[in-house]
Amino acid sequence: MLLKKAYAGLPKTVGKKEANQPMEREWTSAIFKEPVQGAVWVGKTGLTGDGQYDQKNHGGPEKAVFAYSSEHYTYWQNEHNITDISIGGMGENFILEHVKEDSISIGDTFQIGEAVVQVSQPRQPCWKPARRFKTKTLALLLQNTGRTGWYFRVLKEGLVEEGQTFTLLERPCPHWTIQKCNEILHGQQDFEKMRELAACEFLAPGMRETLQQRVEKRETPDIRNRVFGPND
């Protein structure tokens, strides 16, 4: 697994306040990240120079670094004709080569440069990539195809630089791949599988709590606000 590029960026506002079409209206996000030049410090809550606008749903120690596979961009370009999408477009901090959601698991721990990072959870796609690329159903496509990306927590802070490889230090839960987690989160309501996943000590506490609540209430979550938001 190779770090092809690192990205960071702070929130900015784009669009027009009075636009008639929802996709054209003003909005603020930190999805617009830029390539980092040289080595970058990876701290407990993210990369130097990086930030989040919606801090309720993004950022924090369990979502310190968002990683995405470079191979997915060819899929979005060719299969869904999103011609203006390219690496960095999903708001990732790490764009990775030689890895996808079916080959990385919750709790996987890696040395990368001076830092040590651990997979904490899949990304639950929201409406912002859809707004950026004017594709209303993009969040649904992300979760339904399993091309979500994932988050790392940072166990040891340090400098990281593009071109470095990830050295696997520990794999405590090989069966809980990001792909499997996505199937449980977004597929058919299998409450027993949700209970099993919620018991995984390496899964981010917030996601464990969400799964536990779904099991207890036996409810199907309403995802419309997350996946469509103000785009609808």
Side-chain angles (χ1 to χ4, degrees):
M1 192 165 74
L2 176 72
L3 178 60
K4 182 178 179 68
K5 198 73 180 177
Y7 292 82
L10 298 174
K12 71 176 183 178
T13 300
V14 298
K16 300 177 182 179
K17 283 185 177 181
E18 307 302 325
N20 291 325
Q21 296 297 325
M23 288 286 195
E24 303 294 336
R25 291 174 189 159
E26 184 178 279
W27 61 297
T28 304
S29 175
I31 196 174
F32 306 98
K33 301 190 185 300
E34 299 293 336
V36 173
Q37 304 302 320
V40 62
W41 182 261
V42 178
K44 291 288 186 179
T45 56
L47 280 62
T48 296
D50 196 48
Q52 296 80 34
Y53 177 70
D54 176 9
Q55 296 186 11
K56 177 181 178 181
N57 296 302
H58 301 284
E62 294 299 316
K63 300 178 183 178
V65 180
F66 174 44
Y68 203 66
S69 171
S70 63
E71 298 173 49
H72 292 333
Y73 284 102
T74 301
Y75 172 83
W76 297 121
Q77 291 163 358
N78 295 342
E79 299 300 321
H80 294 280
N81 199 33
I82 308 175
T83 56
D84 57 341
I85 197 170
S86 60
I87 60 171
M90 291 294 175
E92 63 266 33
N93 301 114
F94 285 174
I95 187 74
L96 306 181
E97 289 187 336
H98 315 307
V99 63
K100 292 183 181 178
E101 286 79 359
D102 62 352
S103 58
I104 195 161
S105 302
I106 301 298
D108 282 2
T109 305
F110 298 93
Q111 176 91 38
I112 172 69
E114 297 176 351
V116 176
V117 298
Q118 185 179 68
V119 178
S120 59
Q121 69 168 80
R123 183 198 204 184
Q124 291 212 78
C126 72
W127 57 268
K128 293 178 181 178
R131 174 73 69 90
R132 181 176 189 180
F133 297 107
K134 306 296 188 292
T135 304
K136 183 178 174 180
T137 59
L138 185 53
L140 280 175
L141 290 169
L142 283 162
Q143 71 176 39
N144 291 345
T145 63
R147 292 171 169 84
T148 59
W150 59 89
Y151 288 103
F152 289 113
R153 59 174 68 94
V154 178
L155 302 184
K156 178 187 175 186
E157 299 178 319
L159 290 171
V160 169
E161 192 167 2
E162 66 177 84
Q164 293 175 329
T165 56
F166 288 74
T167 300
L168 181 65
L169 302 179
E170 185 180 13
R171 174 161 282 170
C173 309
H175 55 294
W176 287 131
T177 64
I178 295 297
Q179 181 184 59
K180 184 64 176 177
C181 293
N182 282 331
E183 291 170 358
I184 292 171
L185 285 164
H186 308 303
Q188 293 183 345
Q189 295 287 87
D190 188 330
F191 293 111
E192 185 54 40
K193 288 294 184 183
M194 289 182 196
R195 189 191 306 277
E196 292 175 10
L197 179 56
C200 176
E201 64 178 301
F202 297 96
L203 185 66
M207 186 160 282
R208 294 180 68 187
E209 183 179 351
T210 295
L211 287 166
Q212 289 165 354
Q213 290 177 353
R214 286 172 65 178
V215 170
E216 291 169 4
K217 296 178 180 179
R218 288 294 198 272
E219 65 179 9
T220 301
D222 186 346
I223 65 171
R224 288 174 297 179
N225 188 57
R226 172 171 62 82
V227 300
F228 296 122
N231 297 337
D232 198 357

